[in-house]
Amino acid sequence: MKLCVIGTGYVGLVGAAVFADWGNEVVGVDIDEKKIKKIESGEMPIFEPGLEELVLENIKAGRLKFTTKLKEGMKDADIVFICVGTPQGDSGQADLSYVLGVAGEIGKNLQKGRYTVVVTKSTVPVRTNERVKEVIQSVAPKGVKFDVVSNPEFLREGYSIEDMQNTDRTVIGAQTERAKKVIRKLYGHLESPIVETDLRSAEMTKYAANAFLATKISFINEIGQLCEKAGANVQEVARGMGLDKRIGTRFLVAGIGYGGSCFPKDVAALSRTSLDFAYDFSLIRGVMRVNDLQKHSFTSKIYQEFKGEALGGKTFAVLGLAFKENTDDIRESVAIKIIHLLRGRGASLRVFDPEANENARSYLGDVGIHYAKDAYDAMKDADALLVLTEWKEFRELDLQKVKKLLKNPTIFDGRNLLDQAEVEGAGFKYHAVGKRTNAYHGTDVKSALLPK
Ligand code: UDX
């Protein structure tokens, strides 16, 4: 089929490349000419494993093209995908200006005598696709035939190609059988189930999925808080819980809270949507509150360790700046928030991330921060080591080398990434999340109700 993909962010660029790889003729459209030029020359705007190769291969095979001109991109397209951003607005709502702006442009460029399916892949609140349809209808030439479809994307950054190729399911929300048939043809070769539904249910599915995953994370973070106080171990509890197939082991890793371009924004938007419908979704407000507190619980361990709240004169080595492993994305990264908190109290930082150093530098600047060339460079003469992103390579640190480089053998592991027995055995004071370590600061609660 002929496809036009509007927007070359994560969803759009990965989507365009994967659709082309499936044998479709794809044109990616973006208003940013510089970005388009870079992509064409093989320079990806984001770090995403396997993306560069996939884009170049499909350009070479003649199946993938890019343009800044929507009219050109939409020429003879069977399906037009909207993959532009829906950033968080001032009161938590999703800002739909890009989506609706693009809908208007699509409307003007629909061809007479052709049936086109307009698919929204951007994450949009329930009922948005009906607005997309209205906007298109209001500007489209008379008699043009089109349908709108909601087809949310569930890919994870860092694994997006794999996630698109081997998705757990495809959700297609549509108003007509004709539209569903076109989209089914695109995804029909995948082995996973296709969920066919109405527009509103498809839109809601995306928010429900992200909010549920965020709930899992906040839930295990609260269990972690309790484990630490009660002398239990959150990692073992998560394993014991997760092996129940109804629960599942994934997304039960306690840490410093979730970040990224999706969870914080989508959870806030769902909360806002519930208010728009005069419903108080109290659980989701709890999820957000727990997530916000989690980083403070982590930094309070640092303040306690260094006795007092002003950290002037202290230097911390930080491993990990991206919001998670395998990406250079620092949007809503909790690591960056923690750096802000520590710098705000006068601390200096020596930081390292395998991919996100440059993005962090352009956001945080250089004041009080040294961007290290590798993990060990970050540790030189630091008062303690902070592990803030779950990059695999940080699991394999040479602990003897770490000990020699740090001023004090003290580690705050915000992701429970390191092996507690090894770290403590190597003579470190080890702070972790949701379990007692040799650095446990809490005091046992004295309650008449607790068993002796
Ligand atoms: C998420 C969804 O997983 C994906 O389906 C959706 O399309 C977009 O949003 P992404 O933002 O790429 O994907 O990251 P994800 O891997 O889900 O992690 C989100 C955040 O949660 C990260 O900050 C990560 O460190 C944190 N996390 C994840 C935990 O703290 N614990 C976990 O167990 C899992």
Side-chain angles (χ1 to χ4, degrees):
M1 284 191 285
K2 288 200 168 181
L3 314 179
C4 170
V5 178
I6 306 171
T8 56
Y10 264 97
V11 172
L13 186 53
V14 173
V18 171
F19 291 149
D21 207 50
W22 289 347
N24 300 290
E25 264 183 59
V26 184
V27 186
V29 182
D30 202 293
I31 46 171
D32 187 341
E33 195 164 346
K34 266 200 207 143
K35 197 174 172 189
I36 291 286
K37 287 241 159 69
K38 280 190 175 171
I39 295 171
E40 283 174 331
S41 69
E43 202 185 314
M44 297 300 116
I46 44 178
F47 167 78
E48 187 64 27
L51 182 62
E52 186 182 320
E53 296 79 355
L54 197 72
V55 166
L56 289 177
E57 249 170 60
N58 283 283
I59 291 179
K60 209 170 150 205
R63 291 188 294 260
L64 181 59
K65 293 193 177 77
F66 291 92
T67 178
T68 53
K69 296 184 187 70
L70 184 62
K71 196 183 168 91
E72 198 180 299
M74 277 181 60
K75 192 168 182 306
D76 299 334
D78 300 297
I79 311 176
V80 179
F81 288 93
I82 302 177
C83 302
V84 293
T86 49
Q88 190 170 330
D90 293 339
S91 57
Q93 84 282 16
D95 175 355
L96 297 176
S97 51
Y98 300 108
V99 169
L100 297 177
V102 162
E105 292 306 309
I106 293 173
K108 288 182 211 155
N109 288 294
L110 283 174
Q111 287 167 255
K112 270 194 178 168
R114 267 196 88 76
Y115 170 68
T116 315
V117 182
V118 179
V119 177
T120 309
K121 264 206 175 289
S122 306
T123 301
V124 292
V126 61
R127 295 194 182 187
T128 302
N129 273 281
E130 287 151 79
R131 287 176 71 187
V132 166
K133 186 176 174 184
E134 277 165 24
V135 170
I136 296 177
Q137 237 152 12
S138 69
V139 292
K142 277 219 161 53
V144 152
K145 290 200 169 45
F146 76 97
D147 271 312
V148 294
V149 164
S150 166
N151 169 222
E153 187 49 67
F154 300 100
L155 56 79
R156 292 164 304 162
E157 292 182 16
Y159 305 90
S160 58
I161 294 172
E162 181 188 323
D163 281 356
M164 262 202 88
Q165 307 270 27
N166 304 310
T167 183
D168 287 341
R169 78 314 207 173
T170 302
V171 175
I172 305 176
Q175 292 171 318
T176 68
E177 190 46 41
R178 188 177 185 189
K180 282 183 188 162
K181 204 172 151 195
V182 174
I183 306 303
R184 230 184 276 137
K185 193 173 157 196
L186 177 66
Y187 294 111
H189 67 285
L190 298 175
E191 279 164 17
S192 51
I194 292 184
V195 179
E196 292 188 0
T197 181
D198 58 274
L199 287 177
R200 293 180 189 178
S201 304
E203 292 165 332
M204 191 60 100
T205 303
K206 168 71 186 202
Y207 282 98
N210 272 0
F212 188 78
L213 292 169
T215 304
K216 266 187 116 173
I217 299 170
S218 280
F219 183 86
I220 203 65
N221 280 335
E222 285 224 281
I223 292 289
Q225 294 289 347
L226 198 50
C227 281
E228 215 169 295
K229 291 190 194 306
N233 180 321
V234 73
Q235 285 171 295
E236 287 168 25
V237 172
R239 188 169 148 72
M241 279 170 69
L243 287 170
D244 181 330
K245 289 196 184 66
R246 293 170 301 174
I247 298 173
T249 48
R250 297 172 74 186
F251 280 75
L252 283 181
V253 181
I256 49 177
Y258 59 78
S261 66
C262 291
F263 284 175
K265 160 178 92 74
D266 294 350
V267 170
L270 184 61
S271 171
R272 172 54 207 249
T273 296
S274 71
L275 293 179
D276 291 344
F277 288 96
Y279 179 71
D280 178 16
F281 197 153
S282 54
L283 178 62
I284 213 69
R285 284 193 283 109
V287 169
M288 291 194 280
R289 197 177 58 89
V290 170
N291 196 56
D292 189 38
L293 291 178
Q294 199 64 12
K295 60 179 169 296
H296 296 296
S297 149
F298 180 78
T299 50
S300 72
K301 288 178 181 162
I302 302 173
Y303 306 153
Q304 255 181 299
E305 175 71 39
F306 291 95
K307 311 240 174 359
E309 306 233 323
L311 295 175
K314 297 278 176 248
T315 300
F316 297 109
V318 171
L319 295 189
L321 302 164
F323 80 95
K324 63 168 191 183
E325 86 290 3
N326 259 7
T327 180
D328 64 353
D329 197 344
I330 58 157
R331 284 177 289 175
E332 293 297 314
S333 165
V334 186
I336 301 284
K337 290 181 194 212
I338 288 172
I339 289 171
H340 265 305
L341 290 170
L342 296 175
R343 190 164 64 165
R345 285 176 189 252
S348 300
L349 289 314
R350 294 178 66 85
V351 305
F352 172 72
D353 187 285
E355 291 297 332
N357 267 18
E358 281 320 305
N359 283 345
R361 190 199 295 269
S362 47
Y363 178 72
L364 290 167
D366 287 289
V367 179
I369 304 182
H370 168 77
Y371 295 87
K373 62 177 193 308
D374 59 40
Y376 298 107
D377 178 30
M379 295 172 205
K380 280 179 196 150
D381 280 331
D383 290 275
L385 168 65
L386 279 44
V387 180
L388 300 184
T389 304
E390 61 272 46
W391 282 96
K392 278 203 188 78
E393 63 185 76
F394 298 155
R395 278 181 214 272
E396 284 135 28
L397 294 172
D398 175 345
L399 292 174
Q400 290 313 321
K401 199 166 165 187
V402 175
K403 209 167 165 194
K404 277 199 197 114
L405 289 165
L406 291 175
K407 227 191 269 175
N408 313 304
T410 306
I411 298 178
F412 295 84
D413 184 353
R415 301 287 192 166
N416 288 344
L417 207 64
L418 307 179
D419 184 279
Q420 180 174 352
E422 269 177 35
V423 174
E424 291 180 350
F428 285 88
K429 194 168 185 187
Y430 182 57
H431 301 256
V433 178
K435 59 184 181 182
R436 289 200 180 173
T437 60
N438 64 1
Y440 179 64
H441 275 300
T443 44
D444 271 320
V445 177
K446 288 195 178 55
S447 161
L449 296 175
L450 289 174
K452 292 260 167 344

